[in-house]
Protein backbone atom coordinates (compact mmCIF):
# COMPACT_ATOMS: atom_id res chain seq x y z
CA UNK A 1 0.00 0.00 0.00
CA UNK A 2 1.32 3.44 -0.90
CA UNK A 3 2.27 5.89 1.82
CA UNK A 4 -0.59 8.45 2.11
CA UNK A 5 1.85 11.14 3.23
CA UNK A 6 3.95 10.65 0.09
CA UNK A 7 1.99 13.17 -2.00
CA UNK A 8 2.63 15.96 0.52
CA UNK A 9 6.34 15.34 0.95
CA UNK A 10 7.30 18.30 -1.26
CA UNK A 11 5.72 20.77 1.17
CA UNK A 12 7.52 19.17 4.13
CA UNK A 13 10.99 19.85 2.74
CA UNK A 14 12.68 22.96 4.19
CA UNK A 15 14.00 23.94 0.73
CA UNK A 16 10.46 23.88 -0.70
CA UNK A 17 9.14 25.99 2.14
CA UNK A 18 11.92 28.50 1.63
CA UNK A 19 11.15 28.61 -2.10
CA UNK A 20 7.44 29.23 -1.41
CA UNK A 21 8.28 32.08 0.97
CA UNK A 22 10.55 33.65 -1.65
CA UNK A 23 7.82 33.36 -4.29
CA UNK A 24 5.33 34.97 -1.91
CA UNK A 25 7.62 37.90 -1.04
CA UNK A 26 8.64 38.49 -4.66
CA UNK A 27 5.04 38.48 -5.87
CA UNK A 28 4.06 40.92 -3.10
CA UNK A 29 6.99 43.15 -4.05
CA UNK A 30 6.04 43.08 -7.72
CA UNK A 31 2.49 44.18 -6.94
CA UNK A 32 3.69 47.05 -4.73
CA UNK A 33 6.14 48.24 -7.41
CA UNK A 34 3.48 47.88 -10.11
CA UNK A 35 1.26 50.17 -8.06
CA UNK A 36 3.70 53.00 -8.81
CA UNK A 37 3.22 52.67 -12.59
CA UNK A 38 -0.51 51.96 -12.83
CA UNK A 39 -2.88 54.88 -13.21
CA UNK A 40 -6.18 54.03 -11.57
CA UNK A 41 -9.50 55.86 -11.77
CA UNK A 42 -10.85 55.73 -8.20
CA UNK A 43 -14.53 56.15 -7.52
CA UNK A 44 -13.91 57.40 -3.98
CA UNK A 45 -10.98 59.25 -2.46
CA UNK A 46 -9.94 56.37 -0.23
CA UNK A 47 -9.50 53.84 -3.04
CA UNK A 48 -7.07 56.22 -4.71
CA UNK A 49 -4.59 55.88 -1.84
CA UNK A 50 -1.30 54.09 -2.51
CA UNK A 51 -1.62 50.34 -1.91
CA UNK A 52 -5.22 50.65 -0.71
CA UNK A 53 -6.30 47.25 -2.04
CA UNK A 54 -3.36 45.43 -0.41
CA UNK A 55 -4.20 46.98 2.94
CA UNK A 56 -7.90 46.25 2.45
CA UNK A 57 -7.12 42.58 1.69
CA UNK A 58 -4.87 42.26 4.73
CA UNK A 59 -7.42 43.86 7.06
CA UNK A 60 -10.22 41.74 5.57
CA UNK A 61 -8.32 38.47 6.02
CA UNK A 62 -7.28 39.40 9.56
CA UNK A 63 -10.88 40.23 10.43
CA UNK A 64 -12.13 36.91 9.02
CA UNK A 65 -9.52 34.99 11.04
CA UNK A 66 -10.44 36.78 14.27
CA UNK A 67 -14.17 36.22 13.68
CA UNK A 68 -13.54 32.53 12.96
CA UNK A 69 -11.54 32.15 16.17
CA UNK A 70 -14.35 33.84 18.12
CA UNK A 71 -16.94 31.56 16.55
CA UNK A 72 -14.76 28.56 17.38
CA UNK A 73 -14.77 29.51 21.06
CA UNK A 74 -18.52 30.14 20.99
CA UNK A 75 -19.45 26.95 19.09
CA UNK A 76 -17.02 24.58 20.82
CA UNK A 77 -18.62 21.63 22.59
CA UNK A 78 -17.25 19.56 25.45
CA UNK A 79 -15.85 16.10 24.82
CA UNK A 80 -18.84 14.37 26.41
CA UNK A 81 -21.42 16.39 24.45
CA UNK A 82 -22.87 13.28 22.82
CA UNK A 83 -22.85 11.31 26.06
CA UNK A 84 -20.84 8.33 27.13
CA UNK A 85 -20.44 5.57 24.53
CA UNK A 86 -21.98 2.95 26.88
CA UNK A 87 -25.28 4.67 27.57
CA UNK A 88 -28.18 4.00 25.21
CA UNK A 89 -26.13 2.31 22.52
CA UNK A 90 -28.29 1.23 19.60
CA UNK A 91 -28.63 -2.44 18.84
CA UNK A 92 -26.90 -3.96 15.85
CA UNK A 93 -30.20 -4.98 14.24
CA UNK A 94 -32.16 -2.36 12.32
CA UNK A 95 -35.49 -3.59 13.82
CA UNK A 96 -34.21 -3.27 17.38
CA UNK A 97 -34.04 -7.02 17.93
CA UNK A 98 -30.98 -8.22 19.80
CA UNK A 99 -29.07 -10.77 17.83
Amino acid sequence: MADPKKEFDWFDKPASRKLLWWVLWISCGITVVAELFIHRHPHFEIDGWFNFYSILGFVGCTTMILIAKGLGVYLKRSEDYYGEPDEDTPSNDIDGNAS
Side-chain angles (χ1 to χ4, degrees):
M1 181 176 215
D3 185 16
K5 188 154 171 47
K6 191 75 169 165
E7 72 180 82
F8 297 107
D9 281 344
W10 189 81
F11 292 106
D12 293 334
K13 295 178 184 175
S16 300
R17 288 183 184 174
K18 189 174 183 178
L19 174 69
L20 288 173
W21 277 110
W22 274 104
V23 168
L24 172 70
W25 285 110
I26 289 171
S27 63
C28 288
I30 288 171
T31 57
V32 169
V33 170
E35 182 85 21
L36 296 170
F37 301 106
I38 296 174
H39 177 68
R40 292 182 284 123
H41 304 283
H43 293 285
F44 304 102
E45 183 179 343
I46 193 169
D47 62 343
W49 292 358
F50 177 74
N51 242 356
F52 169 75
Y53 292 105
S54 318
I55 296 166
L56 179 67
F58 178 77
V59 169
C61 284
T62 303
T63 303
M64 285 191 293
I65 289 169
L66 293 175
I67 289 172
K69 285 189 174 280
L71 279 173
V73 169
Y74 176 72
L75 296 175
K76 192 181 294 185
R77 302 285 183 233
S78 62
E79 287 185 29
D80 59 347
Y81 178 73
Y82 292 109
E84 296 296 323
D86 293 336
E87 64 184 51
D88 296 333
T89 55
S91 64
N92 293 336
D93 190 10
I94 195 166
D95 295 329
N97 300 329
S99 50

